[in-house]
Amino acid sequence: MDKSIILGLIQNTALLVAFSMIYDYSWVQQKRSKSILRKIITGFIIGGIAIILMLTPWIQVPGLVFDTRSVLLSLSGLFFGFIPTLIATAIALVYRISLGGSGLWMGLAVIVVSSAIGIMWRNLRPGWRDRNHLLELAALGYIVHLGMLCCAFLLPPENIKETIQNILIPLLTIYPAGNVLLGLLMLRQYKNWQNRKASVQLLEYEQRFTGMLKNTFLFSIIIDSKGNLTYCNDSFLNVLGYNADEVLGKNAFVLLTHPDSINAVRDAFTYILTGKTGFYNYESDIITKNGSKLIVSWNATVFKGDNISSTTVACIGENITIRKRAENELVKAKLKAEESDQLKSIFLANMSHEIRTPMNAIMGFSNLLGEPDISETEKKQYVDIIKNSSDRLLQIINDIIDVSKIEAKQLTLSLSECKLDQIFTNSIEAFRKSELLRHKKDLKLILNIPKENGEIKFISDQHRFQQILDNLLSNAIKYSETGVVETGYQVKEDAGEKWIEVYVKDTGIGIPDEKHDLIFERFRQVEEGRFHEGAGLGLSISKGILELLGGKIWFTSEVNKGTTFCFSVPYIIPERKHPVQSRTSLPVTDLKGKTVIIAEDDYNSYFYLRLLLEELNANILYAENGHVLMNLIRHKIPDLILLDINMPVLSGFECLRKIREENFQIRIIAQTAYAMPDEKEKCFREGCTGYIAKPISKQELHDALKAVFN
Ligand code: ADP
């Protein structure tokens, strides 16, 4: 091979390397979509290089020169695309025309063919870089230079053969090799740039990602395969109250987990490390530096290393303590709502049962009383049943009124001098005679009054005190089948104050621990939903009354062993003699020759009173309302009026006012259905001389008559 060819080739190679650098700096490193100006400028530069290549050719024969423009332009088409290559081709063509010579047509044809093949390769095989690029470049080199060989036929005929002989070997060896090498160089530059770009991007992403983890309110931690903390963000440190030195490198489970749940968390972590699940979501409690507990929802991802020791777990955690608490509150509220719903149904069923049961007996036996052939014994038995059932019904009604009054803070006390022993004896006697105890043959009722104190008199509300004692005794008897119900009291001193402490002890079913708070709530019972006598009001009323009396109530109990209820009230010693309310033993008042007006709008009530008064030989007049009453009084002043307070036309209180205004001096016994102590006082204030509460028993009427006539 001629020396000039080698020299030319070396020079050409240098230029092509320069060309590849242009590709690197002004093309691949620029934005992905290039501006048209950049394409034009690049086209001119490539065109310039083509001219320089043509300036350093090797001369075959004068006018027939060779250079590596074919390599340049084909690779230009392949790497730079249509516009730059078109401009470079045009420049090269112009320059080659200006050179002239016998090889002009071949020269022009080589320029056009090389560029066209390069551009076509780029467009027809767009993914060539990712396929076997070596083969692609070699194939391109051969096709371009076979094309160049064909172009030799455009030479003057006398030069064709010799030229082909001369260029055949370089065209099939050096030229394609040039294509391959230069192509590989440019490809490498392209790939290097791509790698550089990727690592810059990676760095950028990493910075963004780390910034995000650092500044988020979420916790982010990374734990190595041994469970040691290798990374944690500021939010994690701030909320837990640590600084980085105190946590990094420390075992996350020991540091953060409550000892009770450490094994469960370790198991979860071991499972995550296996990588069986890509993403693991779990909730755990973590302990802060000051010992408080947080609930965190974690999302954990495992980063697999080459081996288990290089595997790490990244966790993003959200502090859901407040949300969880709110959810728990909601669940509790829901349960409470459901419970209160259920209680409402139980209450209704219970009340219905409590009211209908005695009603059933009253109605049933009242009807039976009307049967023609019943014996005296049966009659007495039926009347007893009706009486007991009525008492029971009245007890419920009184309890409901009491509980409503306590709730509305309208219950008032009527304080007077009370004899403690007498209260106890009253209750014990009443219970010993009661239906409740009559059926319990194996249950004994014992009264244990300390003898050493003598007779204790104290200021309290006797009626209410008795009510509490009766409630407790009634429960003790009700919830015991055998054994003993014992009651008594002690006088105690506490912090310089004297107290009367009463106990009622039984050997009954007892009260389970978990129901201890509940039984003082109104309408609540230990065995809710199971019907037994009682509306669940007694204890709540007792507690309410004791609060008013300045006392308290408590109990101890053991299931199946028994219960002891205690209550205490202040022991207020009377300063001077208060009249003690006691039942009088005067003989029954005879009303012979006395006129009694019964003022009562309810005919049955009137009729009942009439029967009772007729037994006492009274002359009876009837006033069905206040207006009639006033007319009767004006006509003739009676000896007594039994005045219903709640009457139509003129109410009882209005009648009392008129009687006062018109200055009539008459004994008046008020009768009300409310049975409230405050109402009783009001009646006396308004001018009544006596008072009875409905339902009125014969004994109560007799007592009231004795009180007003004596
Ligand atoms: P009740 O009318 O249902 O007896 P209380 O308010 O008096 O209503 O009592 C509430 C509940 O407390 C009772 O239903 C019963 O379950 C329980 N209880 C009260 N006293 C006793 C006792 N001496 N022994 C066992 N359980 C009792």
Side-chain angles (χ1 to χ4, degrees):
M1 202 185 293
D2 191 316
K3 228 182 182 174
S4 72
I5 295 180
I6 292 169
L7 202 63
L9 262 174
I10 289 169
Q11 284 170 337
N12 275 239
T13 306
L15 282 165
L16 289 175
V17 170
F19 161 72
S20 84
M21 287 166 84
I22 289 170
Y23 175 68
D24 187 11
Y25 291 110
S26 78
W27 198 254
V28 287
Q29 293 192 20
Q30 299 311 314
K31 275 195 282 194
R32 195 170 170 77
S33 58
K34 276 84 184 173
S35 68
I36 187 78
L37 186 68
R38 176 165 297 278
K39 288 178 181 171
I40 293 169
I41 292 170
T42 308
F44 274 99
I45 295 171
I46 301 169
I49 295 174
I51 292 174
I52 301 170
L53 281 178
M54 283 189 263
L55 284 172
T56 52
W58 59 94
I59 298 161
Q60 182 72 24
V61 285
L64 184 59
V65 290
F66 286 94
D67 48 56
T68 52
R69 81 190 81 148
S70 57
V71 176
L72 174 84
L73 290 171
S74 61
L75 289 179
S76 167
L78 185 66
F79 284 92
F80 291 93
F82 183 70
I83 296 175
T85 309
L86 189 72
I87 293 168
T89 305
I91 292 170
L93 286 174
V94 170
Y95 180 70
R96 183 62 191 89
I97 290 168
S98 73
L99 288 181
S102 61
L104 177 66
W105 289 111
M106 180 188 173
L108 295 178
V110 167
I111 290 169
V112 172
V113 166
S114 309
S115 303
I117 292 175
I119 291 168
M120 271 158 48
W121 206 278
R122 176 186 173 95
N123 292 317
L124 296 178
R125 301 183 67 74
W128 71 270
R129 281 189 184 94
D130 306 321
R131 285 194 285 269
N132 191 343
H133 48 261
L134 193 68
L135 209 68
E136 293 277 336
L137 288 169
L140 175 76
Y142 275 105
I143 291 172
V144 167
H145 292 99
L146 283 174
M148 186 168 157
L149 201 63
C150 296
C151 293
F153 290 101
L154 295 173
L155 289 172
E158 62 277 16
N159 293 343
I160 292 174
K161 194 176 168 204
E162 190 191 352
T163 305
I164 287 178
Q165 275 173 356
N166 268 330
I167 63 170
L168 184 65
I169 304 283
L171 278 190
L172 295 180
T173 54
I174 296 169
Y175 277 79
N179 260 74
V180 170
L181 289 176
L182 190 63
L184 282 179
L185 188 67
M186 291 169 77
L187 204 57
R188 165 149 302 191
Q189 280 157 346
Y190 174 76
K191 291 231 156 115
N192 279 349
W193 171 79
Q194 264 195 333
N195 286 345
R196 280 200 308 275
K197 203 168 98 174
S199 60
V200 167
Q201 244 171 19
L202 208 66
L203 204 70
E204 223 170 76
Y205 285 148
E206 197 187 319
Q207 275 167 355
R208 257 188 244 165
F209 181 65
T210 339
M212 209 169 79
L213 289 185
K214 221 170 136 53
N215 300 322
T216 173
F217 70 94
L218 296 171
F219 298 158
S220 66
I221 57 174
I222 296 177
I223 303 173
D224 69 15
S225 57
K226 291 193 190 105
N228 296 332
L229 266 171
T230 57
Y231 168 83
C232 61
N233 69 348
D234 290 348
S235 167
F236 178 82
L237 293 173
N238 293 341
V239 175
L240 268 76
Y242 286 110
N243 59 44
D245 295 342
E246 290 172 307
V247 293
L248 291 180
K250 301 275 162 56
N251 188 284
F253 313 126
V254 177
L255 190 75
L256 306 172
T257 315
H258 191 276
D260 291 348
S261 47
I262 199 162
N263 285 339
V265 176
R266 267 217 180 97
D267 289 349
F269 184 74
T270 315
Y271 179 68
I272 299 170
L273 274 183
T274 60
K276 282 185 189 146
T277 164
F279 200 62
Y280 195 83
N281 180 262
Y282 68 101
E283 271 175 27
S284 74
D285 294 347
I286 60 171
I287 309 293
T288 64
K289 191 176 175 182
N290 68 18
S292 54
K293 194 179 91 174
L294 297 180
I295 307 167
V296 180
S297 162
W298 294 105
N299 283 314
T301 320
V302 63
F303 291 139
K304 279 247 153 227
D306 299 336
N307 52 47
I308 191 79
S309 64
S310 58
T311 298
T312 53
V313 175
C315 310
I316 302 283
E318 186 188 359
N319 180 359
I320 55 167
T321 316
I322 295 172
R323 196 178 81 202
K324 267 279 173 214
R325 276 193 201 133
E327 275 171 16
N328 287 346
E329 289 302 311
L330 218 65
V331 170
K332 267 195 221 151
K334 187 171 164 262
L335 285 177
K336 204 161 168 95
E338 282 168 3
E339 191 192 40
S340 94
D341 223 37
Q342 198 192 358
L343 283 176
K344 222 185 291 167
S345 314
I346 291 174
F347 162 71
L348 286 175
N350 204 14
M351 286 316 279
S352 168
H353 171 262
E354 282 304 296
I355 292 169
R356 279 168 192 270
T357 311
M359 273 308 267
N360 186 38
I362 294 168
M363 289 166 74
F365 285 100
S366 305
N367 283 335
L368 285 180
L369 272 181
E371 300 275 323
D373 309 326
I374 52 165
S375 67
E376 277 308 306
T377 341
E378 282 170 327
K379 203 189 273 178
K380 192 176 170 319
Q381 198 187 0
Y382 297 171
V383 170
D384 275 354
I385 295 172
I386 293 173
K387 191 179 167 314
N388 283 334
S389 302
S390 314
D391 286 347
R392 192 172 152 191
L393 198 58
L394 184 64
Q395 183 60 45
I396 292 166
I397 294 165
N398 283 342
D399 279 356
I400 292 173
I401 293 174
D402 278 352
V403 93
S404 320
K405 286 227 139 196
I406 289 171
E407 199 139 292
K409 301 212 181 324
Q410 281 180 0
L411 192 84
T412 49
L413 295 173
S414 171
L415 296 177
S416 64
E417 188 180 297
C418 311
K419 287 182 177 171
L420 188 54
D421 292 359
Q422 197 189 340
I423 297 174
F424 272 90
T425 345
N426 285 349
S427 291
I428 291 291
E429 274 175 17
F431 275 105
R432 281 200 178 129
K433 282 188 221 148
S434 73
E435 190 71 4
L436 196 60
L437 201 61
R438 200 179 305 159
H439 298 297
K440 306 212 172 177
K441 298 279 177 240
D442 298 328
L443 191 66
K444 263 208 188 106
L445 180 58
I446 297 176
L447 174 61
N448 184 7
I449 293 180
K451 294 281 168 266
E452 66 274 12
N453 294 322
E455 189 186 47
I456 289 185
K457 291 178 183 170
F458 67 113
I459 301 291
S460 194
D461 184 324
Q462 170 155 349
H463 165 69
R464 295 300 180 186
F465 190 103
Q466 187 107 50
Q467 187 180 355
I468 300 167
L469 182 61
D470 287 353
N471 263 336
L472 298 185
L473 281 169
S474 143
N475 279 348
I477 298 169
K478 207 158 65 178
Y479 299 109
S480 307
E481 289 306 318
T482 56
V484 179
V485 170
E486 184 191 317
T487 182
Y489 66 85
Q490 280 178 308
V491 174
K492 290 196 169 176
E493 211 170 322
D494 183 23
E497 270 189 65
K498 279 189 162 182
W499 297 84
I500 296 168
E501 190 177 301
V502 178
Y503 70 91
V504 177
K505 189 173 168 187
D506 67 52
T507 48
I509 55 170
I511 300 166
D513 285 354
E514 67 278 11
K515 305 277 182 172
H516 277 204
D517 291 337
L518 170 150
I519 57 160
F520 285 108
E521 287 176 29
R522 60 203 168 90
F523 302 113
R524 302 297 301 269
Q525 297 176 317
V526 170
E527 289 189 67
E528 268 149 355
R530 223 194 78 185
F531 293 126
H532 48 74
E533 202 172 307
L537 289 174
L539 287 177
S540 79
I541 293 172
S542 301
K543 192 168 177 244
I545 296 172
L546 277 163
E547 275 165 19
L548 284 175
L549 287 173
K552 56 180 194 276
I553 184 167
W554 69 97
F555 71 96
T556 52
S557 184
E558 217 175 313
V559 173
N560 294 330
K561 289 253 167 80
T563 309
T564 304
F565 271 94
C566 298
F567 71 89
S568 64
V569 291
Y571 181 9
I572 306 167
I573 300 166
E575 283 172 10
R576 53 192 171 78
K577 253 190 139 1
H578 282 252
V580 179
Q581 296 174 357
S582 66
R583 282 180 182 171
T584 163
S585 56
L586 285 171
V588 177
T589 312
D590 188 1
L591 300 178
K592 196 171 168 67
K594 293 194 164 70
T595 307
V596 179
I597 303 177
I598 302 173
E600 168 65 74
D601 62 318
D602 176 50
Y603 185 80
N604 290 340
S605 302
Y606 153 72
F607 188 59
Y608 171 64
L609 283 173
R610 184 193 175 103
L611 290 177
L612 295 184
L613 288 170
E614 272 174 0
E615 284 179 3
L616 302 173
N617 309 310
N619 300 324
I620 296 154
L621 296 174
Y622 176 41
E624 66 266 38
N625 62 47
H627 190 64
V628 176
L629 173 68
M630 288 314 297
N631 285 341
L632 284 176
I633 297 173
R634 283 175 197 132
H635 183 68
K636 185 175 185 261
I637 295 176
D639 294 289
L640 172 70
I641 304 169
L642 279 174
L643 178 67
D644 179 22
I645 291 299
N646 194 21
M647 268 191 311
V649 189
L650 263 186
S651 82
F653 285 122
E654 283 165 334
C655 291
L656 283 172
R657 209 177 54 241
K658 280 190 180 291
I659 291 170
R660 231 180 19 241
E661 281 166 9
E662 296 181 31
N663 221 358
F664 293 120
Q665 298 299 322
I666 319 168
R667 295 179 193 89
I668 302 169
I669 297 178
Q671 34 150 342
T672 78
Y674 297 123
M676 296 298 164
D678 38 352
E679 197 171 61
K680 182 175 171 180
E681 273 145 26
K682 190 174 174 200
C683 290
F684 281 115
R685 268 202 316 276
E686 298 288 322
C688 290
T689 26
Y691 174 90
I692 33 177
K694 288 179 187 171
I696 300 163
S697 71
K698 194 176 185 172
Q699 183 62 50
E700 280 166 340
L701 180 67
H702 286 181
D703 287 349
L705 291 172
K706 278 177 211 163
V708 295
F709 281 107
N710 296 309

